[in-house]
Amino acid sequence: MPTPNPAALDFLLSRRSRPAKTLGLPVPESDALRPLLAAATRVPDHGKLEPWRLIVLERAALVRLAGLVAEAGARLGKSPEDIAKAETQFADAHLAVAVIESPKPSGKIPAIEQTYSAACVCLSLLNAALAAGWGANWLSGWPSHDRGFAQTALGLAEHERIAGFLHIGTEGAAPPERPRPDIDTITTWVSE
């Protein structure tokens, strides 16, 4: 019989992302952040390729990224509202970790599996931060999908892309619970 871990299951059944705009100081220092990063990289990784890497963005770096948003938005024809919202994501943040999908050449491991592994790093970092008592949120947004912004802001190689920005900080306000999927509606049981 399996050995249950009720505390871990209770955490997963009740976990809730915290809106990034509610996250403030303090943020985890390097010593507190390292175990969260280690937990984040304990994900399914077919072939042990490590098709991802992490960029820790502290306050000055986030302010720099906010300053790059307007040019990218103008180039892409984004509305002033879209540009302002994207700028705020960085300008109001104190700490974020960019999870970078960095696929490795492989004749055996499909690229899509490497993408899934990078997404697992995002979710694992989110859950690790929440489990450690921090508020956290996984964001992307149009700047993260723009090649020009990714290369200018983070120096990404041509084959890399941003899987997400994980904002971590002290929760300023608990969010209300939201509706969750009805498991019976979305689940099919196949027994033969």
Side-chain angles (χ1 to χ4, degrees), residues 14-167:
S14 63
R15 64 151 302 281
R16 174 78 168 90
S17 297
R18 303 319 199 248
K21 63 186 174 190
T22 69
L23 302 178
L25 295 171
V27 297
E29 301 278 339
S30 175
D31 288 346
L33 187 58
R34 285 181 179 282
L36 306 181
L37 301 178
T41 59
R42 291 183 64 96
V43 297
D45 177 14
H46 190 188
K48 300 178 206 64
L49 298 177
E50 298 178 11
W52 21 256
R53 63 189 183 90
L54 308 171
I55 301 174
V56 177
L57 301 164
E58 296 178 309
R59 181 72 184 135
L62 290 160
V63 170
R64 180 180 59 80
L65 267 61
L68 298 172
V69 168
E71 182 276 325
R75 179 174 37 78
L76 296 171
K78 296 291 181 185
S79 72
E81 296 79 19
D82 286 345
I83 292 171
K85 182 178 178 182
E87 284 175 334
T88 299
Q89 174 183 337
F90 301 112
D92 291 352
H94 297 280
L95 177 73
V97 178
V99 176
I100 307 303
E101 179 185 355
S102 186
K104 305 298 189 291
S106 173
K108 182 179 176 186
I109 313 305
I112 192 68
E113 288 190 23
Q114 297 185 51
T115 297
Y116 296 157
S117 185
C120 287
V121 171
C122 292
L123 180 58
S124 290
L125 181 52
L126 176 65
N127 283 338
L130 294 170
W134 298 101
N137 199 297
W138 173 5
L139 298 177
S140 55
W142 63 262
S144 68
H145 304 298
D146 176 53
R147 167 83 14 220
F149 180 83
Q151 288 177 322
T152 301
L154 300 174
L156 300 194
E158 197 60 41
H159 72 288
E160 295 180 318
R161 59 186 172 173
I162 300 166
F165 291 100
L166 281 294
H167 292 257

